[in-house]
Amino acid sequence: MVGMNDVATATLPETGAQAQPTRPNDMEPLSGAAEFFAILSHELRTPLAAIKGYSQGLLLHWDQLPATKHQHYVEAILRSTLRLERLVHDLSFAAWLADGLPMEIGPADLSAVVSQVLEEARTVHAPRQFLTLTQSDPLIVLADRQRVAQVLLNLLDNAAKYAPAGSPIVLTWSLDGVVARVEVRDDGLALSQDEQVCLFRRLGQLQPRRGTSAAAQGSGLGLSICKELVEAMGGAIGIEAGLSGGNTFWFT
């Protein structure tokens, strides 16, 4: 049986801690936009290497691979392609936000938005278990329905990447005074105070890894986009790390 290690080991990036990018002729670290694009280049290489490796495996060893391996390779290619698609989307959306994003604020049923996003998350992240502890009674808020869905899906995607396999992701929503509060709780490694501080910064949220492989990492743009969207709708967003582990991302 031909495995991934036999096919394209040389094309796959090493996992583990990411070195800080440096100038070719200077050991001083890059900063600002230069550092961002250097890190972004690294993030692009990871899914591209996986797509290349698995595609080569299928082309060179199709007849030697059982049907189950065909499916496994194609699924791996699809996951990496979806990651690239999300990265490109985040980049274009971040540029759009920089120019000012118009909001369509109006009455929206938060429960209906949650139900819609949960259905999508369960499809994308099967067999990951998503649980809700809230009744789906109508809860009308003043917000941009599409942007609320975007924020919530991003938080669920984030939890699905970092929570241990087999552990549930719990979603709740409720009234907190005069605002609605949405929470996404996972059982991943609790983030330190230093990690929490930089989590929602644009360009800066690329270091917290929470013990994951490089394959699980993103561009660092998703949470900063969430912050800008939530604040543009008059809300707030944050994280609370559990004393015994796990993290709760919330927004109002």
Side-chain angles (χ1 to χ4, degrees):
M1 180 181 298
V2 178
M4 189 61 197
N5 291 335
D6 305 313
V7 174
T9 302
T11 68
L12 293 177
E14 296 181 359
T15 59
Q18 177 183 324
Q20 189 175 26
T22 59
R23 296 182 179 90
N25 300 318
D26 190 348
M27 292 307 293
E28 293 183 6
L30 296 169
S31 61
E35 180 182 8
F36 170 68
F37 284 112
I39 296 174
L40 179 60
S41 175
H42 170 85
E43 301 298 336
L44 286 168
R45 282 197 299 269
T46 302
L48 284 173
I51 292 171
K52 179 180 179 181
Y54 282 110
S55 298
Q56 287 176 334
L58 288 173
L59 287 172
L60 298 176
H61 304 282
W62 181 274
D63 294 335
Q64 303 172 39
L65 294 170
T68 54
K69 282 292 183 180
H70 291 166
Q71 180 174 347
H72 171 72
Y73 280 26
V74 172
E75 289 174 348
I77 292 171
L78 177 59
R79 284 195 300 270
S80 293
T81 302
L82 291 174
R83 179 180 172 187
L84 280 176
E85 183 181 51
R86 177 58 60 87
L87 180 58
V88 171
H89 175 271
D90 284 350
L91 284 170
S92 61
F93 200 84
W96 193 14
L97 277 175
D99 291 333
L101 178 66
M103 288 284 174
E104 297 182 4
I105 305 295
D109 184 353
L110 182 60
S111 298
V113 174
V114 170
S115 298
Q116 168 198 333
V117 172
L118 272 176
E119 182 178 353
E120 182 174 349
R122 285 167 174 157
T123 300
V124 173
H125 297 290
R128 171 68 72 177
Q129 186 179 19
F130 294 91
L131 302 178
T132 60
L133 304 178
T134 305
Q135 297 294 325
S136 58
D137 297 330
L139 177 55
I140 307 302
V141 297
L142 284 176
D144 185 317
R145 178 189 175 97
Q146 181 180 352
R147 302 310 171 198
V148 171
Q150 182 178 350
V151 170
L152 183 53
L153 183 58
N154 193 296
L155 295 183
L156 292 176
D157 285 345
N158 190 67
K161 285 191 296 183
Y162 296 116
S167 66
I169 295 166
V170 181
L171 172 63
T172 60
W173 63 101
S174 61
L175 278 177
D176 183 7
V178 296
V179 300
R181 180 182 174 99
V182 181
E183 297 185 351
V184 175
R185 186 170 75 247
D186 65 61
D187 291 327
L189 296 177
L191 290 170
S192 69
Q193 288 294 329
D194 289 342
E195 290 173 320
Q196 293 178 40
V197 168
C198 72
L199 199 61
F200 294 96
R201 291 177 183 168
R202 184 183 289 189
L203 308 185
Q205 193 277 316
L206 287 169
Q207 297 306 316
R209 296 295 181 176
R210 292 204 270 175
T212 61
S213 68
Q217 306 308 319
S219 66
L221 289 170
L223 290 177
S224 67
I225 289 175
C226 287
K227 183 176 186 294
E228 293 189 51
L229 289 176
V230 168
E231 291 179 350
M233 290 184 285
I237 189 169
I239 176 177
E240 297 172 357
L243 295 178
S244 58
N247 301 280
T248 298
F249 286 84
W250 59 266
F251 68 94
T252 61

